[in-house]
Amino acid sequence: MQIHDLPHPDPGVPDARSGPRFLWWLFRNQLDGQLKSLAWGLLHFASVASLPFCVGVAVQAAVDRSGGRLALAGGLMALACVGNAVGDTFLHRSAVTNWITAAARVQQLLGRKAAVLGSALTRRVAAGEVVAVSTGDVEKIGWFVEALSRFTAAAVTIVVVTVGLLVYQPALGVVVAVGLPVLALAVLPLLPRATRRADVQREKAGRATELASDTVAGLRVLRGIGGEDLFLDRYRRASQEVRHAAVRSARMWSLIAAVQVLLPGLLLITVVWHGVRLARDGRIDVGELVTVYSSVMLLTYPLRHFEEIAMAYSFSRPSARRAARVLSLERAMDTAGTRAAETPAGDLYDPRTGLCAPSGSLTAVVCGDPDAAGRLAERLGGHAAQEGTSVLLGGVPLDELPLDSARTAVLVQDKDPVLLSGTLRELLDVPASGSVDPGAALEAAQCQDVLAALVQGSLGAEDPMDARITERGRSLSGGQRQRLALARSLVTDPEVLVLDEPTSAVDSHTEARVAQGVRGLRSGRTTVVFTSSPLLLDRADRVVFLHEGTVVAVGGHRELVRTEPRYRAVVTRETEEETASSVALRAGNGGRHPDEVPDGLRELETLEEIEETA
């Protein structure tokens, strides 16, 4: 596969049982590229290894004053140089291709896994770890995968040259045959310690990356509470730990490199000493001595690949382990689906909680536990984090549909939606029914001030749709980001739209207009809003109140405020003492609110005032 063919049409199903198994799976899945790299590597190393033979023939020809053999040696040397140049060029090309294609395959696998798991991914693995795997780790994994074929070519070359020396000059070939395995295996006792130190370095670097990612993501909040210095000190300490670990790891690798310089030097000294004695006794020719000496000297080049493969494996193994951990995660429910692809319509019903959102209506859901509300929102969209009874849409279990069909039918907007960098036009360029115009969606989400801010912050952007949005919308306020995300969801126009606290960072007057705009634009479509805002609740066709994971009351907002103390406590932020007192007074008045207890009704008066102003 060539680089221009990326991305892979199908990255395949990885073997994520362990890090080494994942590395071997990657190697097998680009076998053609590995064989090409091996072939060019053999040409390159064989050409390098043949140069000493050519030099030896030339020296002996000069000693014997043979012009014909000297010319033959020159021709062979030129041929070896050409083979060396061609082999080295295409070896580098194929190796880089293998590296990039392996890294791209891992990134595709990680991207698909993130798309399949959705928000459940960051509940099971830290977001910073996912970032570390998809950035730094993929490069180290690709490094080992591409180095494996070059190491194989180097090992084959060393074996062939050693056998050739044994045949060419047995007296010196025995010394080389004994010495080379010692050189290759001498660093093995040092590798476990070097690998452990490299693992520690990678773990500390991963934690530092996680800390940096989480700090940047929450920078606005940290600035609000004055916590930048605290997290800066934490990151400074983490980075120093990474530096100390890297220095300790580098010391071990420098020792391994020193061993690989020292031992070949001792072997060369031994070969020269023994060879000179043999030449002095007349048992070998000068040309044979030069050939063996040059061969041993040049064999130190392929021997370096033994150190490289050991280093590549020690660095890639923890990276592959982290990648395999992420790739081994599975959805709690079926992802392939047992039904044919379809987009069902009808009532949305959750058997676990008893929640029912009638088709074509705006249903508001009130839940006292924000985390429980987030999990329920994920369930309604087919993103359940735990196994259980499937949510039904028009009587069709969402978990039995192919994942694409389920997500087409039900769109869930998270509590903290992400805005990608780019223009506003690109942000709103999402798969949609085509029934909702981006301008209408922006108007319904009350984004007029957001458009003005984007135009003001983008040089040369006269059309607001061409205005630039910074990464994650950091130049915008929390409320502005929420409204842009809401407009994007409205443009999609799914059969069912689930919104989790879509206006938690918006002021009351804007929130009232947003509520009216969403209700008007989603008329005839099923919309479920998780909120405790009276302004949104009062615009809903029906309000569902959940307590301890079960539906306990259904009705209009104003009705539930008057009749359900637990609902009123969540919406009006009553204390436990006020709720208990309200329940006792209600019980003493035959289940009706006494006129002298207006706590739950004050909220309605305030609501009416905001409505009139809006």
Side-chain angles (χ1 to χ4, degrees):
M1 186 173 193
Q2 300 301 316
I3 294 177
H4 60 73
D5 296 325
L6 296 175
H8 298 274
D10 181 12
V13 180
D15 186 349
R17 289 176 289 178
S18 65
R21 287 178 182 270
F22 179 60
L23 290 174
W24 177 243
W25 178 85
L26 283 173
F27 180 85
R28 287 189 292 108
N29 272 268
Q30 53 184 64
L31 197 56
D32 290 345
Q34 297 295 344
L35 292 176
K36 289 181 182 178
S37 181
L38 176 61
W40 291 118
L42 288 174
L43 175 62
H44 170 58
F45 290 123
S47 300
V48 172
S50 65
L51 287 173
F53 174 75
C54 300
V55 172
V57 172
V59 170
Q60 192 62 43
V63 171
D64 297 339
R65 298 181 181 277
S66 173
R69 281 189 294 161
L70 186 62
L72 176 63
L76 293 176
M77 189 174 297
L79 184 62
C81 290
V82 172
N84 181 20
V86 173
D88 188 26
T89 299
F90 285 94
L91 171 62
H92 178 73
R93 180 185 179 88
S94 60
V96 171
T97 300
N98 290 336
W99 188 338
I100 293 177
T101 52
R105 187 184 297 273
V106 177
Q107 286 182 324
Q108 275 189 258
L109 290 170
L110 291 170
R112 292 195 176 190
K113 181 61 67 173
V116 167
L117 293 176
S119 58
L121 175 62
T122 52
R123 293 182 182 273
R124 300 163 70 178
V125 179
E129 182 174 348
V130 178
V131 172
V133 172
S134 60
T135 53
D137 285 338
V138 294
E139 295 184 4
K140 296 174 179 60
I141 292 171
W143 176 26
F144 174 76
V145 172
E146 70 83 14
L148 194 55
S149 56
R150 285 190 292 113
F151 163 73
T152 304
V156 170
T157 301
I158 290 174
V159 172
V160 170
V161 171
T162 302
V163 173
L165 289 177
L166 283 172
V167 175
Y168 177 71
Q169 180 45 253
L172 288 177
V174 171
V175 177
V176 177
V178 173
L180 284 179
V182 174
L183 295 183
L185 302 177
V187 297
L188 287 182
L190 301 176
L191 286 180
R193 180 176 295 180
T195 301
R196 286 195 297 271
R197 292 189 179 185
D199 289 348
V200 171
Q201 177 193 351
R202 301 313 312 162
E203 290 175 3
K204 291 183 178 297
R207 286 198 293 269
T209 302
E210 292 175 21
L211 179 60
S213 176
D214 295 340
T215 301
V216 172
L219 189 59
R220 183 182 294 272
V221 177
L222 292 176
R223 286 175 175 171
I225 62 177
E228 308 102 305
D229 292 339
L230 174 62
F231 275 79
L232 180 61
D233 291 339
R234 288 183 181 178
Y235 181 74
R236 185 180 291 112
R237 289 194 298 269
S239 63
Q240 289 302 312
E241 290 179 2
V242 174
R243 185 178 67 84
H244 290 308
V247 170
R248 294 186 72 248
S249 179
R251 287 173 180 168
M252 185 55 64
W253 288 111
S254 64
L255 177 60
I256 292 175
V259 170
Q260 294 226 322
V261 171
L262 175 64
L263 294 183
L266 294 177
L267 178 61
L268 279 174
I269 293 173
T270 304
V271 168
V272 171
W273 175 75
H274 185 54
V276 168
R277 291 181 58 194
L278 294 176
R280 188 174 57 188
D281 295 340
R283 298 170 57 183
I284 63 173
D285 296 330
V286 175
E288 292 176 332
L289 174 60
V290 172
T291 299
V292 175
Y293 168 77
S294 302
S295 297
V296 174
M297 183 178 65
L298 290 180
L299 281 179
T300 57
Y301 169 57
L303 275 173
R304 294 175 191 167
H305 290 76
F306 285 76
E307 177 190 354
E308 183 194 13
I309 196 66
M311 183 180 293
Y313 180 71
S314 66
F315 276 90
S316 65
R317 190 181 67 173
S319 298
R321 185 172 61 245
R322 284 195 292 268
R325 179 192 172 198
V326 175
L327 295 175
S328 64
L329 299 176
E330 297 292 341
R331 275 171 47 90
M333 301 301 186
D334 178 28
T335 58
T338 56
R339 290 175 175 262
E342 61 175 308
T343 305
D347 296 346
L348 184 68
Y349 177 66
D350 178 27
R352 177 182 293 183
T353 60
L355 170 64
C356 180
S359 175
S361 65
L362 173 59
T363 302
V365 181
V366 177
C367 183
D369 183 357
D371 292 334
R375 291 191 295 269
L376 178 55
E378 292 175 358
R379 276 180 50 77
L380 295 179
H383 305 262
Q386 299 177 349
E387 293 186 1
T389 307
S390 174
V391 172
L392 307 177
L393 177 58
V396 178
L398 287 179
D399 296 330
E400 295 182 6
L401 291 173
L403 190 59
D404 292 343
S405 298
R407 290 183 173 175
T408 300
V410 183
L411 173 66
V412 179
Q413 178 178 302
D414 295 334
K415 186 179 300 182
D416 298 312
V418 176
L419 300 180
L420 301 179
S421 59
T423 64
L424 181 57
R425 193 184 310 279
E426 293 169 341
L427 177 71
L428 300 180
D429 184 16
V430 293
S433 66
S435 301
V436 177
D437 181 72
L442 291 168
E443 183 178 354
Q446 300 299 309
C447 294
Q448 293 83 355
D449 63 315
V450 185
L451 300 181
L454 289 175
V455 171
Q456 185 177 5
S458 300
L459 296 177
E462 298 180 358
D463 186 349
M465 298 299 290
D466 296 326
R468 301 288 303 181
I469 299 175
T470 57
E471 183 185 0
R472 300 179 71 93
R474 299 191 190 283
S475 62
L476 304 173
S477 67
Q480 290 174 328
R481 289 197 300 270
Q482 276 189 336
R483 283 177 281 158
L484 275 183
L486 177 59
R488 180 178 58 189
S489 299
L490 293 174
V491 167
T492 304
D493 190 35
E495 182 66 30
V496 178
L497 177 60
V498 179
L499 304 172
D500 188 6
E501 293 289 353
T503 57
S504 58
V506 177
D507 65 85
S508 299
H509 295 282
T510 304
E511 188 176 31
R513 293 192 293 269
V514 169
Q516 189 63 36
V518 170
R519 180 181 177 85
L521 195 63
R522 291 288 298 173
S523 177
R525 291 287 202 177
T526 306
T527 307
V528 180
V529 182
F530 287 82
T531 184
S532 59
S533 166
L535 291 165
L536 288 177
L537 295 171
D538 197 50
R539 291 295 197 286
D541 296 317
R542 67 201 305 261
V543 178
V544 179
F545 175 56
L546 280 82
H547 182 67
E548 296 182 353
T550 305
V551 174
V552 296
V554 178
H557 167 60
R558 304 186 185 220
E559 172 191 356
L560 292 178
V561 166
R562 293 186 175 91
T563 60
E564 179 53 63
R566 291 171 297 184
Y567 174 84
R568 185 173 60 255
V570 173
V571 174
T572 63
R573 313 298 195 269
E574 283 185 355
T575 64
E576 293 183 1
E577 292 78 6
E578 291 173 335
T579 303
S581 175
S582 177
V583 171
L585 288 171
R586 182 167 171 240
N589 284 270
R592 296 186 303 273
H593 263 295
D595 294 337
E596 61 271 29
V597 185
D599 296 337
L601 301 180
R602 289 200 189 100
E603 175 263 344
L604 294 180
E605 297 173 357
T606 305
L607 174 61
E608 291 169 354
E609 292 175 1
I610 294 176
E611 288 176 349
E612 293 174 359
T613 305

